[in-house]
Structures are given as C-alpha cells and as structure tokens.
Amino acid sequence: MAAFRRYLRSPAPVLGLVLLMAVIAMALCADLVFPRDPLALAGRPLQWPGTNPRFWLGTDGSGRDIAAQIFHGARVSLLIGVVATAIAIALGIAIGAVAGFYGGGVDTVLMRVTEAFQTLPNFILLLVLVAVFGSDIVTVTVSIGAVSWPAPARLTRAEVLSLRNREFVLACRTLGMGDLRLILGEILPNALPPVIVYASVVMAVAILLESALAFLGLSDPNVASWGNLIGTGRTVIRSEWYVSAIPGVAILVTVLAVSLVGQGLNDALNPRLKERT
Amino acid sequence: MKFLAYAARRLAASLPTLLILLAGLFVLLQFAPGDTVDALMAQAGGGDAVMAAELRRFYGLDLSVPERLAAYLWRLVRLDLGFSAIYNKPVATVILERLTPTLLLMASSLSLAFAAGMVLGVLAARRVNGWPDTVISTLGLIFYATPSFWFGLMGIVVFAVKLAWLPPGGYGTVGAGYAGLRLMLDIAWHLILPTVTLALIFLAIYLRIMRAAMLEVLNLDFVRAARAKGLSETRVLVRHVLRNALLPMVTLIGLQAGTMLGGSVVVESVFSLPGLGRLAYESVVQRDLNTLLGIVFVSAILVIVVNFVVDLLYAKLDPRITATG
C-alpha cells in the first residue's frame, strides 16, 4: 500500500495511468460504440474530420470510418502488446533463471544464444520471422515475443546470480528442497520485481514494433491496426494528411502511457532511487 | 595492450556465435512458403513446371537441406553471399551498392542523437527538477513514444509539402547530374529529415542516460573536492563530471547499433532511400531469401564491428580498464 501511495504522489505516473485507462476503455467499448466491422466501407472516402457528424475523425482513402479503426485498433495494439510481452517475459525468466541458477556450461550456452539474438537487430529478425511464417496476427504476436526475450533474460539472470548464494537460499537447500522448488518458491519471487517493471519497456517496444510492421504492410491486413491505417494513409499524405496523423497520435499516447506507468512503478518500488535523483 | 587482447578475444568469440546464428536462420528459412523461383515465375507472369525445375537446378535449390546448408556455410567462410535471382547479381554486390546510404544515415543519426542527448542531459541535470529539467525530460518521454515512421511522415507533410524547405525523400535530386562537392551537399540535403527521424528515439534514450549519469557523478567525492579547490562550475562540469558521465553513453552506442539498423528499415522506406534497410524490406516482399540472409550477415558483422570499436573507445576514455585488463 505504501508503494501505491508513493505511486500516486507524483503527477507523471498518474497521468500515465489515466491515459492507459482511457486506451483500455476504448478497447473495451469498441464493439459497443462501433458495432460494425471497422474495415467495411462506411461512407464517401476522404472526408475531413468535422465535416460530417457521422464520422467525427473523418474517413480514409477507402471510405472506412477512422474513429472506428482507432477504437478497434486500441484493442489490437493492447492485445499484441500484452501477449507479446507475456511471451517475452516468460521466455526471458525461464532462460535467465536456468542460466543464473545452474551456471557453468548451461549458463555459457544459454548466454551465447542470448548474445546471438542480441547481435541481430530485432526488427530485422522480426522481418525474417514474418517472411518465413507469414503475417497473420498470431504469428506476428508470437514473433514479436520471440525477438524481445534477451533483455529480460539477462536481467533475470543477474538477479538470480545475486540471490542464489544468499543465506535463506542455502538454508532451504540444507532443508533438502529440490532445484525446482528453490527456483520457483524462493529465488524467483525475490528476483521478479525489476523484471516485471521492465515488462513495461518490453510492452512499449512491442507496440512500436507491431505498428512499424503494419505500416510496412507486413502485418495482418485483416485487422484494424493503427500501423495499417498510417500505411494506407501514406498514399494521400500530401493533401489528406489527417488519415496518417490521427492513428500516429493514438500510438504515441498508448506508448507514452505504458512508459509512464512503468516509470511510476519503478520509482514506487525503489523509493531510494527516486530520492537520489 | 592487455586491453587490446581482451577486445580481440571478444571479437573472436563472437564469430562462432555468428556462424551458429546464420546456420539456424538458414534452416529456419527452409520453412518459408515458396522460394525464389516461385517469386521469379510470378514476376515473369507464370511459366511451366519444366522451366521451374530447370531454374531450381540452376540456383541449386534442388539439393537437400543439409547439402545446401553445408554449401551455404562454406561459401560464407569465403565471404561469398550467394546469388540474388531477383537482382540477377551476386548478393554481395547488391548489398555493397546499398551500404553507403545506410552507413551515412546511421553515422549522422548517431552523432546527432549523441551530441543533442549529451547537451540536453547536461542541461537537465544542472537544474534537477527545475523547469528546464521538466521540459527536457517530458520531451524525452514523448520522443521515446513517437513511432519513427509517423514522425517521418509528419516531417514530410510539414517541411516538404507545406513549407517546401526540404525534399520529401530520395537520395539526391533525380537527373541533376551533380558531381563532387555539389553532389555531397545534395545528398546531405536529402538526408536531413531522415537523420532527424531516425535520431529521435535514440536522442530520448541518450538524454535520459546522460541525465542519470550526470546526477550519479555529481554526488561523488571528487566533484566536491574539485568545487572545494575553487574551480568554476563550468570547469567542474566539463573537465570532471562530463568525462566520467560519458562512459555509460559510450556503452549505449554498442547496445543501440543493432536497434538503429532495425530502425533504418522503416526510415529508409518512408524516405525512399536506396539503403540496406529498404533492401531488407524489399527482399521480404520479393521472397529473395538469399539477399535477406546476406543482409542479416552484414548487419550482424556491422553490430560486432561497432561493439569492437566501442570496446577500444572505452579503454581510451577510462584508463582503469586497461590497468586491470
């Protein structure tokens, strides 16, 4: 509770929380406010925002309602962000915990693999995965998760390394606890907080990665993704620039909200760091 | 000297990793639906099965996977990246033609992000929690959250379409036939918007790290000693604090080299620059897997080289590293 009160004390994390709630609300009520398929033809193409009360954010080049795509896009962005982050963090924790706990040869091999992944630019690796496995939404989400695990893995490994020879762990070992119980029951609960906070960074990057992929037309074309909308708006960028501008603001706000909440959590959970700066 | 040996050892250690990585990717690419020949046939508007089989034999696609992997790795050792059926040229040639714009873009973005991030970070740290700090930190957060392709598009709208100050894209004025200095200026002119676009996200990261590093160092004893000696505030900041705060910034260059290459895929597509990133995108669309693998190889090499240089730079900046080896 003390951490929660610390979180609410400064304005930036509160703003982040409010923005994030707004995006989540948009995602939840997308079907209520815009029950029709957001990718279906809705009216005359390229109507500017405010010119037609039916489409308050206007229509894009193929006559689709932009507001509907923004609401449904919130759902896609959040879903991809959360699922990809969960995959990346789970993979990272598993690999990092095993490497840090066992050390030696296992550690060397796993860290080599991690380094190999980090040598390769993750967007280029993502391109390779999409080229191989196709670009439906499930594949894209799993691929984003699969390129984002090295950093959480390194973080978990470092935490586990610093914990594995502490007295309480040695005590549990003397009691005859098995490795799995030691890792899951004793070490990980203590190693997790920084990794969970780092999840916000992973999620922000995941949302940006998906939008970049969608912008290039390499993500699923059958879902209302903000990146897709920016990509289609590109053809009319010289005159109807609002088609690309509006979804960009949505991405910016979402990523900003996620980062602010992450930073707030970090400061709330590590109060000493906050006081130093 | 000891440090040089250490850096060289790290360089040598990264080579087997690279080979394993490429072998893994090669096997992965075998799962891709459709191969180069399919793409070629589609481009040519179809063809019969006999022709497809003949083309496959010509490009060595009729061999088994292990045979092709062995052949691929052996060619790689000799730095032969294979042949691109789409461009009808060796992959190495295709990549070399596209390398310059990307290197220019990366170098200029990195310099901009580093310099601006350093200055803004120092300014923010000088008055912690004052209004310049708040403004700079907020800007940093916003830059970090901005999708670079969107910022690029908006840059085109504002500076190329509305104000007509800068070109909307391309790597030089088409058909102008400039040479020498004029050509260089023309290219620089076209690279202004892409550079700012690519630098934005890294600027945000650098400024945050610089601010944190400055604050960290400002509290150390030697800074108090420098102040007690009666040095001016500027001298304390520049000669004592800055030098030490720069270390994490340099580390970051190595860590970010790969991300920057990934970012250039998007930025080059937005500004239609004929660089490596755009080539990566095109080879995904055209199923030119040989070229894609070649790009992966070259990017990995690039990242390894940047990290090697960073290691050397680190030793130069921090003599303690050399001393302890």
Side-chain angles (χ1 to χ4, degrees), chain A residues 120-121 131-132 216 234 244-245 248, chain B residues 28-29 33 150 258 269-270 281 287 296:
Chain A
L120 208 59
V132 174
L216 290 176
R234 208 181 150 183
S244 293
Chain B
L28 190 71
L29 283 185
W150 180 76
S269 299
V270 170
Y281 165 69
R287 298 240 159 274
V296 169

Side-chain angles (χ1 to χ4, degrees), chain A residues 2-16:
Chain A
F4 186 65
R5 241 177 290 127
R6 266 200 303 274
Y7 181 93
L8 292 180
R9 213 161 49 192
S10 39
V14 175
L15 176 71

Side-chain angles (χ1 to χ4, degrees), chain A residues 75-118:
Chain A
R75 185 175 283 194
V76 173
S77 277
L78 286 180
L79 196 66
I80 290 181
V82 168
V83 176
T85 306
I87 294 173
I89 295 286
L91 258 176
I93 288 177
I95 292 172
V98 170
F101 186 80
Y102 290 105
V106 182
D107 185 32
T108 313
V109 170
L110 286 179
M111 282 302 109
R112 268 292 149 77
V113 175
T114 315
E115 262 168 43
F117 268 84
Q118 286 189 318

Side-chain angles (χ1 to χ4, degrees), chain A:
Chain A
M1 264 308 90
F4 186 65
R5 241 177 290 127
R6 266 200 303 274
Y7 181 93
L8 292 180
R9 213 161 49 192
S10 39
V14 175
L15 176 71
L17 199 61
V18 171
L19 289 176
L20 192 62
M21 290 297 181
V23 178
I24 292 175
M26 264 166 63
L28 288 180
C29 69
D31 272 338
L32 286 174
V33 186
F34 300 99
R36 296 183 49 211
D37 178 8
L39 295 182
L41 180 80
R44 202 161 40 81
L46 298 177
Q47 301 183 52
W48 276 79
T51 50
N52 184 340
R54 262 185 65 209
F55 310 113
W56 32 283
L57 290 179
T59 55
D60 69 2
S62 6
R64 303 175 300 189
D65 187 354
I66 291 181
Q69 292 188 66
I70 295 292
F71 271 68
H72 284 268
R75 185 175 283 194
V76 173
S77 277
L78 286 180
L79 196 66
I80 290 181
V82 168
V83 176
T85 306
I87 294 173
I89 295 286
L91 258 176
I93 288 177
I95 292 172
V98 170
F101 186 80
Y102 290 105
V106 182
D107 185 32
T108 313
V109 170
L110 286 179
M111 282 302 109
R112 268 292 149 77
V113 175
T114 315
E115 262 168 43
F117 268 84
Q118 286 189 318
T119 314
L120 208 59
N122 62 2
F123 194 71
I124 290 188
L125 186 57
L126 191 58
L127 284 183
V128 174
L129 290 177
V130 168
V132 174
F133 297 110
S135 50
D136 65 286
I137 186 162
V138 177
T139 318
V140 167
T141 312
V142 174
S143 302
I144 293 177
V147 302
S148 310
W149 63 265
R154 297 198 95 128
L155 195 58
T156 312
R157 175 177 173 269
E159 291 290 319
V160 171
L161 270 181
S162 78
L163 286 168
R164 69 168 178 186
N165 287 327
R166 295 272 181 86
E167 274 93 354
F168 73 94
V169 178
L170 294 180
C172 291
R173 208 191 279 272
T174 336
L175 284 174
M177 263 191 202
D179 286 353
L180 197 64
R181 244 185 101 189
L182 266 179
I183 296 178
L184 292 180
E186 303 298 326
I187 295 181
L188 273 187
N190 290 293
L192 279 187
V195 182
I196 299 298
V197 167
Y198 190 75
S200 70
V201 178
V202 176
M203 185 166 164
V205 173
I207 293 174
L208 286 173
L209 280 177
E210 191 277 332
S211 67
L213 211 54
F215 166 73
L216 290 176
L218 298 174
S219 182
D220 198 329
N222 301 316
V223 295
S225 153
W226 292 334
N228 274 339
L229 186 54
I230 299 182
T232 53
R234 208 181 150 183
T235 46
V236 291
I237 190 86
R238 286 181 166 270
S239 43
E240 281 83 17
W241 50 268
Y242 66 89
V243 179
S244 293
I246 295 168
V249 174
I251 298 174
L252 204 166
V253 167
T254 310
V255 176
L256 186 65
V258 172
S259 314
L260 285 176
V261 168
Q263 217 175 38
L265 279 179
N266 191 32
D267 293 346
L269 295 174
N270 304 311
R272 267 175 308 140
L273 277 178
K274 175 78 184 171
E275 272 151 33
R276 207 178 53 196
T277 53

